[in-house]
Amino acid sequence: MQVLSKMTPVPVTCLEYVHPWTQSCTLATAELMIVGVQYCLRIYAAVYALSLVMRGRIPTLPELRKTLRGWLQSTAFLTTNAFSYSIMMCSLRRLLGSYNFYTASYVPAFFAALISIMVERSSRRALLALYVSNVATETMWNILQSRGMVKSVPYGEIAIFGLSTSVLMYCFRKNRQKDYRDSMFDVVRFAIGDSEVMKVDVPEGGESTTATLTRESNQRKNSKYPLPFIQAAVQAYSQLTGRLKAMGKHKLCRHRYGCVYDTLSSGARMFSIGLGIQVVMKAVLQMRKFINRPALLRKTFLSKDIARLGLFLGGFTSIYKMSSCLLRHFTDSDSPMFAFPSGLLASAAFAFYSDKTIALYIMWKTLQITYNWGIEKGYLPRVPGFTVMLYAVSTALLFHAATIEPENLRPSYWKFLHSISGGRICVMDRSGFDVYGLNTSGQIRTMMNLCKTEPILQVQLS
């Protein structure tokens, strides 16, 4: 089969390609809007309800009103992105008279994304741009790899995570006066602690470390437990932790107790958090399986996979803090530059839970932080509309891949497009674009197996 140039027109109509289930462009757009509204209302209802629950208190009436407005506005944004994509494809066909490789999806998706992002609140645009850029980066790599232009790099996601984390930790340590605020810094502070970013002094007139240890030890000794072996275990634990806390630390180390205790206690805390997250997620997501097959409980919760997230979080925290302490001991100094070797060494723990999505998210988040910080410091110019354009360019790439070469798209994103379109993404007739040599029709048949494709939802409109 002859492979045509990317600019060569393909003589197909929007009826044959975009909406073969109906002869009306208007009706097809209206159907997408109705189906999209129903799906988006459910999705964002869960998102905004979760945001209220995470506040840990009963929301006030103004907060409920703000949440309701945000829910409806986000629903309008995502629905607009869905049905305006159909409008743009039909309009370009009427305007240009035909489709080519670029106008088949990328160009109409770009304009649809540009319009829809303006519907969403400005405070959420950066978050949305960050997410789609993450997925688009992975998709572009898959596209280049499928064409033989790049090759898969072993442990590439660990390298990306290590380099990005090192820069992020440097920014975190450099931000001693909190002159730049970002939610990612709160996550880092939760994992690493304030001891790596600010000095923790004992208040004047307060207890010294030795006095505190003595008081804590006496409290444990005087505590009464119902069983002797429990009391013996507690006393042994108290003696061990007391010795670890009393072990020396460098004068520039800002943690309260000894370096060994700080490293081990921080790692154990993050390991327990990671393990708890995995247990809860397994219990919630597989509850029905556990009820039907109780034997899966033992197999699931005693498997090695259940501890992978905990090993990553605990290992990363322990290695980072241990490396930072050793550098202070060996150099007799402290510097934000220590974040680079410590971050690179700690990233080895990512091998326990290596994931491209996490690595790319950290990379894009680090780029966002350094860019915004550079603007505030006057080092970088502010580019008007950069977030909006980034969202439009990235979203257009994802829609293009879903239309022309879907096997290069992340499966979860394909399922999302399948759901928001009511299955219509699978019904679009792409056979005319097989002339570009990408086996588009064959890829679609493969991707359809990922979803239990049912007949598309028919919407009756008079």
Side-chain angles (χ1 to χ4, degrees):
M1 180 183 68
Q2 181 182 5
V3 179
L4 299 183
S5 167
K6 296 293 190 297
M7 296 300 295
T8 302
V10 177
V12 296
T13 65
C14 60
L15 170 60
E16 298 167 334
Y17 162 47
V18 182
H19 47 83
W21 62 88
T22 178
Q23 296 183 359
S24 172
C25 300
T26 304
L27 182 59
T29 301
E31 289 178 349
L32 277 171
M33 182 177 66
I34 294 174
V35 174
V37 165
Q38 297 175 16
Y39 176 78
C40 296
L41 282 173
R42 293 196 304 269
I43 291 296
Y44 280 112
V47 171
Y48 281 93
L50 181 61
S51 67
L52 288 177
V53 171
M54 292 182 65
R55 295 179 184 180
R57 55 183 173 81
I58 299 176
T60 62
L61 186 59
E63 289 177 338
L64 289 175
R65 290 174 178 170
K66 183 179 179 180
T67 300
L68 179 60
R69 287 196 299 268
W71 174 38
L72 296 177
Q73 189 169 0
S74 295
T75 298
F77 144 72
L78 195 54
T79 304
T80 302
N81 208 154
F83 74 79
S84 60
Y85 174 62
S86 176
I87 293 176
M88 290 297 172
M89 286 199 293
C90 293
S91 300
L92 281 175
R93 169 66 177 81
R94 293 177 181 273
L95 181 64
L96 302 177
S98 63
Y99 292 108
N100 60 40
F101 185 79
Y102 301 104
T103 60
S105 186
Y106 189 91
V107 175
F110 174 81
F111 286 114
L114 203 60
I115 294 170
S116 64
I117 192 64
M118 302 307 295
V119 177
E120 182 59 285
R121 290 178 299 162
S122 57
S123 60
R124 283 182 50 83
R125 293 173 188 171
L127 180 64
L128 291 166
L130 190 68
Y131 169 73
V132 294
S133 299
N134 183 344
V135 186
T137 303
E138 180 182 345
T139 303
M140 176 56 72
W141 178 267
N142 293 338
I143 290 174
L144 296 176
Q145 191 174 23
S146 67
R147 287 158 171 70
M149 301 176 67
V150 296
K151 294 183 179 180
S152 179
V153 180
Y155 307 108
E157 65 277 8
I158 298 179
I160 293 174
F161 178 83
L163 293 173
S164 303
T165 303
S166 299
V167 177
L168 179 63
M169 290 299 183
Y170 171 80
C171 296
F172 176 73
R173 294 195 60 175
K174 195 73 174 177
N175 192 35
R176 291 183 184 275
Q177 304 300 324
K178 297 185 180 180
D179 51 356
Y180 176 77
R181 296 288 300 175
D182 192 275
S183 59
M184 183 55 70
F185 284 167
D186 295 331
V187 176
V188 175
R189 184 174 287 107
F190 176 78
I192 304 300
D194 282 330
S195 63
E196 293 295 332
V197 69
M198 63 182 63
K199 190 170 183 179
V200 180
D201 296 321
V202 177
E204 186 176 354
E207 291 181 304
S208 64
T209 302
T210 304
T212 301
L213 291 174
T214 303
R215 178 174 53 82
E216 292 176 353
S217 178
N218 291 334
Q219 287 177 350
R220 292 193 181 97
K221 288 180 180 179
N222 295 330
S223 300
K224 301 297 183 181
Y225 295 93
L227 298 176
F229 73 90
I230 295 180
Q231 185 172 356
V234 170
Q235 290 180 355
Y237 171 78
S238 175
Q239 292 176 0
L240 177 61
T241 56
R243 291 176 182 177
L244 292 176
K245 288 179 179 180
M247 291 180 67
K249 66 174 183 177
H250 194 271
K251 60 184 179 182
L252 295 177
C253 287
R254 300 181 180 90
H255 43 81
R256 187 167 189 175
Y257 300 113
C259 296
V260 176
Y261 176 81
D262 183 68
T263 298
L264 295 177
S265 61
S266 299
R269 178 175 65 90
M270 293 307 299
F271 172 80
S272 61
I273 291 174
L275 181 62
I277 292 174
Q278 286 286 83
V279 169
V280 171
M281 288 181 63
K282 292 286 187 182
V284 172
L285 297 178
Q286 300 186 30
M287 180 65 68
R288 183 176 299 179
K289 292 182 179 180
F290 294 151
I291 295 175
N292 296 332
R293 298 174 60 189
L296 286 177
L297 282 169
R298 178 183 177 87
K299 182 178 180 181
T300 300
F301 293 112
L302 294 181
S303 66
K304 296 180 180 179
D305 291 341
I306 201 72
R308 289 174 60 237
L309 180 59
L311 290 172
F312 158 54
L313 295 177
F316 180 88
T317 303
S318 295
I319 296 173
Y320 182 85
K321 295 180 79 70
M322 177 185 66
S323 302
S324 298
C325 289
L326 288 176
L327 286 170
R328 285 189 283 265
H329 279 278
F330 290 152
T331 63
D332 199 26
S333 63
D334 192 16
S335 170
M337 295 297 293
F338 289 171
F340 288 100
S342 297
L344 289 174
L345 287 173
S347 64
F350 191 57
F352 289 113
Y353 200 76
S354 59
D355 183 86
K356 288 186 292 186
T357 302
I358 296 176
L360 291 175
Y361 176 81
I362 296 296
M363 181 191 76
W364 277 103
K365 191 63 180 177
T366 301
L367 290 174
Q368 180 195 27
I369 290 173
T370 53
Y371 174 68
N372 290 337
W373 203 353
I375 291 175
E376 289 192 5
K377 294 293 185 180
Y379 301 142
L380 296 174
R382 184 181 297 275
V383 181
F386 176 78
T387 300
V388 172
M389 292 300 297
L390 179 62
Y391 174 83
V393 169
S394 301
T395 303
L397 177 62
L398 297 178
F399 275 64
H400 169 83
T403 306
I404 304 298
E405 40 192 318
E407 287 186 356
N408 292 321
L409 188 66
R410 185 183 295 177
S412 60
Y413 200 82
W414 168 265
K415 292 180 180 179
F416 161 73
L417 294 177
H418 179 275
S419 299
I420 198 173
S421 67
R424 287 165 175 77
I425 190 174
C426 294
V427 184
M428 294 170 61
D429 184 7
R430 301 163 173 84
S431 58
F433 301 102
D434 287 338
V435 295
Y436 293 119
L438 297 175
N439 188 28
T440 300
S441 298
Q443 291 193 41
I444 291 297
R445 287 192 293 270
T446 301
M447 297 302 291
M448 286 174 64
N449 294 329
L450 293 176
C451 307
K452 294 181 179 179
T453 307
E454 301 176 354
I456 62 175
L457 178 63
Q458 296 296 330
V459 181
Q460 299 296 330
L461 297 175
S462 56

